[in-house]
Amino acid sequence: MPEIKVTPLGAGQDVGRSCILVSIAGKNVMLDCGMHMGYNDDRRFPDFSYITQNGRLTDFLDCVIISHFHLDHCGALPYFSEMVGYDGPIYMTHPTKAICPILLEDYRKITVDKKGETNFFTSQMIKDCMKKVVAVHLHQTVQVDEELEIKAYYAGHVLGAAMFQIKVGCESVVYTGDYNMTPDRHLGAAWIDKCRPDLLITESTYATTIRDSKRCRERDFLKKVHETVERGGKVLIPVFALGRAQELCILLETFWERMNLKAPIYFSTGLTEKANHYYKLFITWTNQKIRKTFVQRNMFEFKHIKAFDRAFADNPGPMVVFATPGMLHAGQSLQIFRKWAGNEKNMVIMPGYCVQGTVGHKILSGQRKLEMEGRQILEVKMQVEYMSFSAHADAKGIMQLIRQAEPRNVLLVHGEAKKMEFLKQKIEQEFHVSCYMPANGETTTIFTNPSIPVDISLGLLKRETAIGLLPDVKKPKLMHGTLIMKDNSFRLVSSEQALKELGLAEHQLRFTCRVHIQDPRKEHETVLRVYNHLKGVLKDYSVQHLPDGSITVESILIQATAHSEDQGTKVLLVSWTYQDEELGSYLTSLLKKGLPQSTS
Amino acid sequence: MAAHLKKRVYEEFTKVVQQHEDLSAKKLRLTKPSKSAALHVDLCKATSPADALQYLLQFARKPVEVESVEGVVRILLEHYYKENDASVRLKIASLLGLLSKTAGFSPDCIVDDAINTLQNEKSHQVLAQLLDTLLVIGTKLTENPSVRMRLVEVACKHLTDSSHGVRNKCLQLIGCLGPVEKGVAKEAESQAAKDVQKIIGDHFNDQDPRVRTAAIKAMLQLHERGLKLQQAIYGQACKLLADDYEQVRSAAVQLIWVLSQLYPESIVPIPSSNEEIRLVDDAFGKICHMVSDGSWVVRVQAAKLLGSMQQVSSHFLEQTLDKKLMSDLRRKRTAHERAKELYSSGEFSSGRKWGDDAPKEEIDTGAVNLIESGACGAFVHGLEDEMYEVRIAAVEALCMLAQSSPSFAEKCLDFLVDMFNDEIEEVRLQSIHTMRKISNNITLREDQLDTVLAVLEDSSRDIREALHELLCCTNVSTKEGIHLALVELLKNLTKYPTDRESIWKCLKFLGSRHPTLVLPLVPELLSTHPFFDTPEPDMDDPAYIAVLVLIFNAAKSCPTMPALFSDHTFRHYAYLRDSLSHLVPPLRLPGRKLVSSPVSPSITPHEDPSQQFLHQSLERVYNLQHLDPQGIQELLEFTIRDLQRLGELQSELAGMADFTATYLQCQLLLIKALQEKLWNVAAPLYLKQNALASAAAKQIVEETYKMEFMYSGVENKQVVIIHHMRLQAKALQLIVTARTARGVEPLFGMCEKFLQEVDSFQRCFISELPRMQGSFVDKLLDLMPRLVTSKPSEVVKILQTTLRQSTFLHLPLPERLHRASANIIEPTGESDNPLRFTSGLVVALDIDATLEHVQDPQGTVKVQVLYPDGQAQLIHPKPADFRNPGPGRHRLITQVYLSHTAWTEPCQIEVRLLLAYNSNRSKATAKVPKSTWNESMEALPQPENGIEGTIPFSKPVKVYIMPKPARR
């Protein structure tokens, strides 16, 4: 039985280091190649030795697909392709291909330059790696080789995020990557057609959460910023450079425009400028509003948002500053935070999750006195707000996607085991499909039931469809023909042709059956009764009474003779060829039930 | 080489030319009188199918007369049978359809032939086209049931065709022509077209999605034509909702909706349980489910239809707004619920702590239903949709449902308020309007009000104004709410001073709706102090006026409030009551001089004293018409002055007062002109007076046009008086000309014209004549036989005497009369910075104006730009530039393009709005029966009726511009 094997090297019952191996119909595909943010040792990258201990990876993998540019989905790529060694094709969408190297370079810089690690990939390696990348468009079917084809669907989440359908013959797998089923200020919602894959591999970050409407959050956020600015306070929004930052920028930019506000908004770091450039470029990947209005004005050409300079932090008057990094653990955002923390008019808004141990986490959990380096005590008087702006699908969104795609099996990755358990149960209960959640390194095997294409000669098809009623999708149709399996191909031909091709003589096969009927009347009367009965029952068939005393129903012959011993019993001889097996057996069973009594 | 190439090019070129000549020669032949013959010749000549196709294409470009249609059809049919090429047959079939559409042609004669063609046709495309032709024929012959029956039979026969196109057309045909009157269908003919519904229903499961769609559409078509669909198809339709193709789903949603309207109360079982529910509820649930469909077309469709399902039970309705939140498997409250709780607990903060939205109780994992059956959260999804089309549709649906269900209105409030922050302005505007429409059913909580008010700072004027309208009719629950609203409105006022009027109006309603809530706020708002006198606020401050408007309107129904006023408040009240009488209601102020209360208490409050005054002064004028001329003049002058003042004070009566004042003004001018001494003296000596009289005549004519076209609500009664006045002015003009002009020739023409005018006046207003006893025209008509025969000089003499003797007509006042007015908001005309642009190029000037009481502004309002050199430019704004924010009000937001040659220094241009009129479109003539009008038009060329003109009706605004010479 054909099977699909899935082995997560990362992201199996875990968040981070997404890397999933799929073998489908003899093809091996690697989905994503991410790093883990929680580790600094070897565990940060997936264990590629699982694929092969010795020998080139290229021989074992047909292709690698990267769903989007977040480092937990592409962070290990240069290591994988340049240091471990892989020369096959790597597929990603155009925006991902454009932005990915920027992030990889940034990651490299932090690891090598700041933390002083050696034995890490170099800038050149990133470049070499990107040379192996093949960019794909949305909904473009790419033939990796003769049999393997992939297709990208829009996934929301971040610019360029895509879901991929991997298809070999009739078997297919859809990998969602990270996706978002509700639109936000700069991206649309994920969408997939009813592709009915054998397996849907979906993320499940928010498997146990149903989120509130985005509008409330946005409104709260805007209201808070607005109030603070009106009071003359300063607002600090620590963000990571890409993704949410752009959404918040658009949000504030449009709000400023709408409300005619004058307070300056600043955005720190040069990294973002480069990325913003790409956001301006890939307008087709953004949401409806931006796509519709970019002719008048590209929304990413911010009017109110300007580049930040360190000196601006001391300027009097209200302002809003986006600064990196997002968890206030280092860098510019922390510097600004220290400057502004003392004033109760100011505010800091944390737009995302903060890891334990960071300043962000401390202030969010209500700590008001922070110990900084050098034994300084920083008193936090500014307001601290938390706003969750996350772009993953929640439980409802996941279910909605499953409903859209109608897969035969579902496999959960990129989430916590406990939460997955719940979702798994729900999926099985509501869609009646089997659901899997393998841990890292654990292989799940899914048996498929692929339909096998068979060539049929046009003559036969036309002849067969002409018989009987119109073809109906909902009912299987019986067809007569001969299946020839030759030279690795299947053909359905008419039996005559098959005989001719194989050089065989035709043999007739007939079934005969005797049915005893209690009927004291004469033979021809019995025949007439049978005839009337059949005519009454089989309205759609041609029932004929032949002059020689026999009845034909289509090609089935019925003759009646008196029983040699008992004249009261008539023996009906029913004879049919094997082609009419269905009708013949029906007829016999019908006759066995006897004739209705009230015919005379 | 190059030369060779060139030669080849030329060769090819000449070839092409030859072909052209060839074609044009054939074209000529086609214009022969007998179309069918020409076509026949052409088709016989055609050697190849391509040729024949060309001929047919050319033929199709020209219309065919009704008489020759049948002949052409016969020719075409003849060729049809001969033709082997499918494409030519296809073209012929489509031509047959086109021809049978010809107006006036009855296609019964070709029905049989058309049906016959179907018999031997093999090509599916041609078959489909032929069926299409039959459809055209059938729709033209709807009165003929036997033809229809035959066509339907034909269609049924072809339903088994293997091509989707043919089946498509068959279904379409059955849908359009199938018998609707069920039961009436005779037994004889009903065998083939037994039951169209069943036949169509069988194709709901066709293998081709296009045919499925066509089947559903045909079913809907039958419904539209009045056939009552059977409830049995409901089940089938529900299955179609899960179709793979969006067009099928979209049509199925419609079908389900139709069925839910037909059988709302039937009971359907819920699958997989033994419960049963009403069909309309089930359908509602199913359509709600489609709001989260994969295709946005279906989503829009579903969201739209939800709005019209008002029979749905409230339990289901309220589910649409329900979305159970959870976080890590624990129940979480929505932000809305939290806001509500915070509000009721008296705290006012949200999301301050990071654990604020911390989930509460554990959820039983078994009870959570992620894919809900039924209506759960349909609107929550619809309002958050990616496409704004879906969001707008959802808002509209919400509005319709909320209007019919107060409890639902209360529930959907939070969601509507959220929509105020949508990224697309249309959606925001739509939700504000929706909220206004349902405002009777709702009371805003403070936190909701807060969100609503935040939108007041929106830079779009449309949004702000819509919001003001909304606030006019909202109910606020607390005094803090009122205070909040006031504060926000004042903020809005400082930010956008142009919103002044709108804000005052808004506060007026806010005050009068919530007197008891305003009462405790009064001391604070007026900043009075129990012991100290506070400084008197500035009376011209718009913000202070706004506060006073709120308080005075509240005080109207709250008699205890005036006790809290300080002295200057009373003074300010008197001032505002006078200057902004439309915003400040009359108050009974205790212990004070009743500043505005009526002097005579006998007058009932219904009858406005100012209206009384208006009528009294008019009575006075009309009664005293036989005084000596001097007295009349004085009285008229005083009355006009009074009326003008009244119009300024009482905006409701402004239209009425202005209208009558204008009329009296005309009368005054006429009297003055007739008082001139010039009538007694030889003309040349009194050239100066002469000028005066003709100027008066001219002015009267202008004023009458204003009276006729600038006021809305003018009725025929008034129009006749206005026309009469104009006639008098024209008579005056004629007399003056007769006195001054040398020779009689010009007089001939003028006299004739005048008499024609009198004639047309008589015809137009024949019904009004009896009421004009003793008037100028009455007398004139008596003398008409004499006038027609006499010489111009005599005519003039007669006119002069009649004009002097004629009486002064009473002008009846209509119920409502409003003067069209316009106010240019933008440009303000205050800028000192010239608009610089390079001469020869254009600069766009944004114009924003409000128009009041203008009927059909798209057709009549023009923008005039006057340059300092006297050059004037008239611009017609696009119809789309006009918006209609309320009854009788319009708003013009447009751009005019200015250009001029270079100037040495900046200079001002004037921009104003004009009201264009055309006496042809006059209200009076429009009411005349058509036939008489046409006759008169043919009989007499009436130049008078074609007069077009413009009336300036806005204050001009000056714009500083500076065209710079172009730099080289």
Side-chain angles (χ1 to χ4, degrees), chain A residues 293-476:
Chain A
T293 53
F294 91 99
V295 181
Q296 283 92 37
R297 186 183 150 213
N298 194 322
M299 290 270 275
F300 290 102
E301 289 191 10
F302 300 126
K303 247 189 221 165
H304 301 275
I305 302 176
K306 287 156 229 148
F308 184 69
D309 189 283
R310 196 162 297 196
F312 292 166
D314 296 323
N315 284 0
M319 66 172 88
V320 180
V321 175
F322 289 96
T324 51
M327 297 184 196
L328 278 183
H329 49 79
Q332 200 148 33
S333 59
L334 189 62
Q335 284 172 12
I336 300 171
F337 175 73
R338 288 166 106 178
K339 269 188 190 151
W340 291 358
N343 192 339
E344 64 274 6
K345 272 204 284 185
N346 298 345
M347 182 189 294
V348 58
I349 298 181
M350 309 297 299
Y353 178 73
C354 289
V355 168
Q356 210 154 22
T358 57
V359 176
H361 189 264
K362 279 179 201 156
I363 57 170
L364 277 180
S365 44
Q367 219 169 309
R368 281 308 186 174
K369 288 210 170 109
L370 299 174
E371 203 180 302
M372 310 305 281
E373 319 95 78
R375 299 268 169 95
Q376 279 176 312
I377 299 283
L378 183 68
E379 199 171 348
V380 183
K381 285 186 185 156
M382 75 198 299
Q383 296 173 55
V384 179
E385 301 284 353
Y386 171 71
M387 285 274 108
S388 152
F389 280 86
S390 161
H392 289 274
D394 63 359
K396 265 199 172 177
I398 295 170
M399 298 300 264
Q400 206 180 331
L401 188 89
I402 295 174
R403 199 177 67 150
Q404 272 183 22
E406 294 188 7
R408 277 181 275 275
N409 296 285
V410 178
L411 190 142
L412 303 177
V413 294
H414 201 282
E416 293 161 35
K418 224 175 81 194
K419 298 181 180 179
M420 279 183 181
E421 199 72 58
F422 164 77
L423 192 65
K424 174 176 181 259
Q425 174 207 339
K426 284 288 148 197
I427 290 170
E428 284 176 344
Q429 181 186 325
E430 286 177 28
F431 294 105
H432 309 291
V433 298
S434 33
C435 184
Y436 307 87
M437 37 173 284
N440 284 339
E442 189 185 323
T443 303
T444 303
T445 309
I446 288 148
F447 296 102
T448 58
N449 199 359
S451 37
I452 298 160
V454 172
D455 293 333
I456 182 168
S457 73
L458 191 64
L460 180 68
L461 182 71
K462 279 198 170 168
R463 203 177 70 196
E464 289 289 326
T465 47
I467 302 168
L469 302 160
L470 263 183
D472 189 336
V473 259
K474 301 282 166 5
K475 289 181 207 145

Side-chain angles (χ1 to χ4, degrees), chain B residues 899-913:
Chain B
S899 185
H900 212 277
T901 48
W903 297 348
T904 50
E905 51 201 84
C907 210
Q908 281 171 329
I909 57 163
E910 272 186 18
V911 178
R912 72 173 84 195
L913 296 181

Side-chain angles (χ1 to χ4, degrees), chain B residues 175-176 180 216-229 254-255 257-258 262:
Chain B
C176 289
V180 176
I216 303 174
K217 291 243 168 87
M219 201 62 110
L220 290 170
Q221 178 83 30
L222 281 178
H223 166 72
E224 252 164 55
R225 290 177 51 222
L227 181 72
K228 187 155 192 209
L229 301 185
Q254 278 182 55
L255 186 60
W257 177 79
V258 165
L262 283 176

Side-chain angles (χ1 to χ4, degrees), chain B residues 874-948:
Chain B
L874 203 64
I875 296 119
H876 304 239
K878 291 193 294 279
D881 292 339
F882 293 93
R883 298 175 196 192
N884 191 355
R889 283 191 293 135
H890 288 272
R891 200 150 157 240
L892 172 65
I893 298 170
T894 188
Q895 280 196 325
V896 294
Y897 299 110
L898 310 173
S899 185
H900 212 277
T901 48
W903 297 348
T904 50
E905 51 201 84
C907 210
Q908 281 171 329
I909 57 163
E910 272 186 18
V911 178
R912 72 173 84 195
L913 296 181
L914 302 180
L915 196 66
Y917 64 85
N918 180 349
S919 50
N920 260 335
R921 274 182 290 137
S922 131
K923 293 154 195 163
T925 48
K927 280 171 192 157
V928 176
K930 261 268 181 298
S931 56
T932 57
W933 169 244
N934 283 343
E935 279 162 30
S936 72
M937 272 307 275
E938 279 155 28
L940 305 158
Q942 285 179 305
E944 186 260 351
N945 277 315
I947 288 179
E948 286 189 39

Side-chain angles (χ1 to χ4, degrees), chain B residues 479-506:
Chain B
K479 76 175 199 313
E480 283 79 17
I482 294 282
H483 192 236
L484 198 66
L486 181 68
V487 168
E488 290 293 329
L489 281 169
L490 291 182
K491 233 195 245 172
N492 173 203
L493 188 64
T494 41
K495 202 159 178 182
Y496 306 98
T498 47
D499 286 357
R500 201 169 62 181
E501 282 289 332
S502 173
I503 288 172
W504 286 345
K505 201 182 110 208
C506 172

Side-chain angles (χ1 to χ4, degrees), chain B residues 356-367:
Chain B
D356 185 36
D357 57 347
K360 292 283 148 67
E361 69 263 49
E362 290 270 352
I363 289 183
D364 172 21
T365 45

